[in-house]
Structure formats: structure tokens, C-alpha cells
Amino acid sequence: MSASPTLQPSQRTVVPAREGRAVHVAAGQGIRVVDLEGGQVGDVFAFAVDDLSEHHSASHTRTQIDRLFPRVGEQFFTNRRRPILTLVEDTSVGRHDMLIAACDPERYATLGVTGWHASCADNLRTALAPFAGAPTFVPQPINVFMRVPVDEHDDLSWLPAASRAGDSITFRAELDCLVVVSSCPQDVSVVNGGVPTSLAIEVLDPQETAVLVPSSGKQAHS
């Protein structure tokens, strides 16, 4: 079922701290997520516009690229094994995550929070609410700027994001996409330095995106 209403591509959309925003990105256009103040994690979700049940899948992406997170020039895949995004530029230190689930009310409860707390899961649901056929589940996000390294014992460490003010990561849409970005509200763990801040989404036209596409590099296998 097609998404409705239609979102017109915008040049820049600010995602306030603890909130989420949705943008439409046509195939060939770019989408850039900018850390405006530094040290802020963004949860990125991508859905195929013609059928919102098709979405970026972290597990399918890892299967295709044999890595925990794509390199520049590599692709992100959907739950139907189609490329949906290509990573074309990264001006940050290059630390991102595709293992950790979106924060949700249950996560904050386990961390000792009482009462309501903003979450990436709720931000996604709010952003998708106007669209027909939007799924009710929360896929594994692309956690840009999130630093959760895996050590030699397969243990995870939760570290503050190392991104600086103005750092960005840019994707090219391989399908017409509805992309949701949540400026992660996490203020209990250290991932946002304890104080969530704002992000920005920039939609680039195909000409702007084309100059960013690497001329060579490892390609994902089928």
C-alpha cells in the first residue's frame, strides 16, 4: 500500500532533541544526517514508499556485506534483500552501530525511569502515523554516530558518541524512500553524553549526490 500523504523533498529539516522527523527521498537523491552540536546519536529508519512493509534490515545488510556496518561505497538492504540506501560520504570519525535496538519505554523502565520518557520507538511511530500502511513494529535502526564497539571477547561497550559539531553521514536512496530520523532521547546511558541535542536532515538532489559517489570500492555481493 502506498504511503499517504506525500511528503515533498525538503532542503533541510531540523530534528529537535528527543524528537523524530520523516522525509521523502526519491531514488537517486541523497539524504544527509548532520550532528549539529556534536556527540548526538541518530536512529535512522528507511521504508520503501510503494510498500511500507519493506524496510531497511540490519540483519539482511550484515549478511550481504559481511560486516557489522557498511563502508563508504557499500549498500544497506531491505527485508526483501533489495538495496535501499548506499553510504556515499562520512565526515565523522566513522563510528556507527547496527546492533542496538531503538530505545523504547520498556528500555527506560529497565534503567529505572518512572513515568513517561521520550524514545526512538515512539518517535518513529509518531512520524509514521500520518501514512497509510505504516507498520506497527519498530525495525532495527541504523544508529548513526553511536559508539558501541565489540571487543575480542564479544562484549559490548557503551561509549559517548565521538561525532563533532557539523559532522555528517550521507546516503543515496536506491528506492523511493520514506526516511525517519530520531534524535535519540537517551539521557540515562552515556551514548549522547547525558544531554540529547538536535540533528538535521538534508535532502540532496541527484546531481549533488552523484559527486559524492565513490569511483571505486568494495561492492556488496548478492
Side-chain angles (χ1 to χ4, degrees), residues 67 69-70 90-97 145-146 164 167:
R67 284 177 53 80
F69 198 89
D90 185 0
T91 70
S92 75
V93 296
R95 302 302 302 178
H96 311 283
D97 168 76
F145 312 128
M146 189 169 186
R164 302 147 299 191
D167 279 352

Side-chain angles (χ1 to χ4, degrees), residues 107-123:
R107 170 64 170 160
Y108 289 107
T110 66
L111 292 173
V113 175
T114 58
W116 180 85
H117 192 290
S119 70
C120 289
D122 282 348
N123 287 345

Side-chain angles (χ1 to χ4, degrees), residues 1-9 22-29 31 45-56 78-80 82-85 128 130-135 173-180:
M1 184 180 296
S2 299
S4 177
T6 300
L7 285 182
Q8 295 301 315
V23 295
H24 176 268
V25 188
Q29 287 186 311
I31 180 165
F45 306 87
F47 300 85
V49 165
D50 58 358
D51 184 350
L52 295 179
S53 68
E54 183 174 10
H55 56 84
H56 164 259
T78 73
N79 54 317
R80 298 178 190 170
R82 293 201 297 169
I84 189 168
L85 300 171
L128 291 180
F131 298 94
E174 304 301 335
L175 304 171
D176 288 351
C177 297
L178 182 64
V179 176
V180 177

Side-chain angles (χ1 to χ4, degrees), residues 47-192:
F47 300 85
V49 165
D50 58 358
D51 184 350
L52 295 179
S53 68
E54 183 174 10
H55 56 84
H56 164 259
S57 167
S59 59
H60 289 83
T61 297
R62 291 193 297 267
T63 298
Q64 293 294 109
I65 65 172
D66 299 325
R67 284 177 53 80
L68 292 177
F69 198 89
R71 297 184 179 95
V72 170
E74 295 182 332
Q75 295 176 320
F76 297 78
F77 290 80
T78 73
N79 54 317
R80 298 178 190 170
R81 300 188 187 272
R82 293 201 297 169
I84 189 168
L85 300 171
T86 298
L87 179 56
V88 296
E89 185 183 53
D90 185 0
T91 70
S92 75
V93 296
R95 302 302 302 178
H96 311 283
D97 168 76
M98 218 161 52
L99 293 175
I100 302 304
C103 60
D104 53 29
E106 294 77 16
R107 170 64 170 160
Y108 289 107
T110 66
L111 292 173
V113 175
T114 58
W116 180 85
H117 192 290
S119 70
C120 289
D122 282 348
N123 287 345
L124 174 66
R125 295 186 183 102
T126 299
L128 291 180
F131 298 94
T136 57
F137 64 90
V138 178
Q140 165 66 47
I142 302 167
N143 294 312
V144 298
F145 312 128
M146 189 169 186
R147 197 155 57 117
V148 184
V150 183
D151 69 14
E152 67 273 17
H153 304 295
D154 294 335
D155 292 325
L156 303 179
S157 297
W158 297 77
L159 304 177
S163 49
R164 302 147 299 191
D167 279 352
S168 65
I169 183 169
T170 306
F171 311 90
R172 180 184 64 202
E174 304 301 335
L175 304 171
D176 288 351
C177 297
L178 182 64
V179 176
V180 177
V181 177
S182 172
S183 186
C184 181
Q186 179 60 263
D187 55 6
V188 182
S189 78
V190 300
V191 295
N192 294 314

